Amino acid sequence: MTIAIYPGSFDPITKGHLDILKTGAEVFDKVIIAVAHNSEKKGFLPTDVRVQLIKESVTHLENVEVDSFEGLTIEYAKKRGAKVLIRGLRAVSDFEYELQLSQANSALSEDIKTVFLTTKPKYNFISSSTIKEIYLNNGDISKFVPAPVYDYLLKRKVC
Ligand code: ADP
């Protein structure tokens, strides 16, 4: 059984993330989508809210678990018995950072491999930061985020 971890900030989860996750769940036996908690960095949404919104957004994906972790992704992957890290690529601009990150992770543990996935073109440009920008300027984000995120942000004006 191949377990893959999809780590990230997911602040908040977007339809781009979900598309990557769906593909990951088709390719691997189990995918753990894990919110990286950084106690030194105040995010847009608290970690527990991000986790909850992901849980509500992935109920249709049976082999997906939602979790959070603190510290090194590779240590978390080892603890969970995962052999694969999933990362997404949008544009060439993502590539340099993602390549460095994957090389650093393989230097820390050769057994855990990073796999890069891409989204459908219609989700390719979506990022959490673009969504925050649109939302904070009262734009319509309904096309870019799953319904639970939209409902949460609509009800609670987060800033
Ligand atoms: P991080 O802070 O770790 O980059 P993010 O939540 O921003 O966390 O992203 C997690 C992963 O998902 C990253 O590998 C990122 O490149 C990927 N990703 C985010 N949005 C998209 C998208 N629209 N298409 C493809 N990959 C994406």
Side-chain angles (χ1 to χ4, degrees):
M1 168 149 164
T2 309
I3 301 175
I5 307 274
Y6 181 26
S9 310
F10 307 109
D11 192 19
I13 186 160
T14 70
K15 287 191 177 175
H17 292 129
L18 269 188
D19 198 40
I20 296 276
L21 185 64
K22 181 174 166 284
T23 306
E26 282 163 12
V27 173
F28 300 107
D29 297 311
K30 176 174 175 172
V31 180
I32 303 168
I33 174 165
V35 178
H37 175 74
N38 183 345
S39 48
E40 313 222 316
K41 220 165 102 186
K42 192 180 173 289
F44 174 59
L45 299 174
T47 302
D48 59 333
V49 172
R50 295 183 218 173
V51 167
Q52 185 54 35
L53 292 175
I54 298 173
K55 281 187 179 159
E56 290 170 24
S57 305
V58 302
T59 49
H60 58 297
L61 298 171
E62 277 179 11
N63 56 339
V64 167
E65 183 189 321
V66 187
D67 197 8
S68 62
F69 70 100
E70 208 165 350
L72 289 177
T73 306
I74 216 81
E75 293 305 324
Y76 174 72
K78 279 188 205 162
K79 203 175 86 189
R80 298 303 314 264
K83 288 270 172 273
V84 175
L85 297 179
I86 297 173
R87 294 289 290 177
L89 286 178
R90 281 163 289 204
V92 178
S93 51
D94 279 342
F95 182 74
E96 207 169 337
Y97 170 71
E98 293 291 346
L99 180 68
Q100 277 185 356
L101 193 61
S102 71
Q103 287 172 342
N105 281 330
S106 5
L108 292 172
S109 171
E110 277 182 13
D111 298 340
I112 299 173
K113 312 290 180 195
T114 300
V115 167
F116 296 107
L117 297 175
T118 55
T119 55
K120 289 193 188 78
K122 66 176 174 177
Y123 299 133
N124 196 54
F125 69 95
I126 303 175
S127 68
S128 299
S129 47
T130 308
I131 280 158
K132 279 177 256 182
E133 199 61 34
I134 298 172
Y135 170 74
L136 293 173
N137 288 290
N138 303 309
D140 179 11
I141 57 165
S142 59
K143 283 205 285 277
F144 314 131
V145 293
V149 173
Y150 182 70
D151 293 345
Y152 178 86
L153 292 177
L154 204 68
K155 277 191 214 118
R156 306 187 40 167
K157 187 75 192 158
V158 186
C159 39

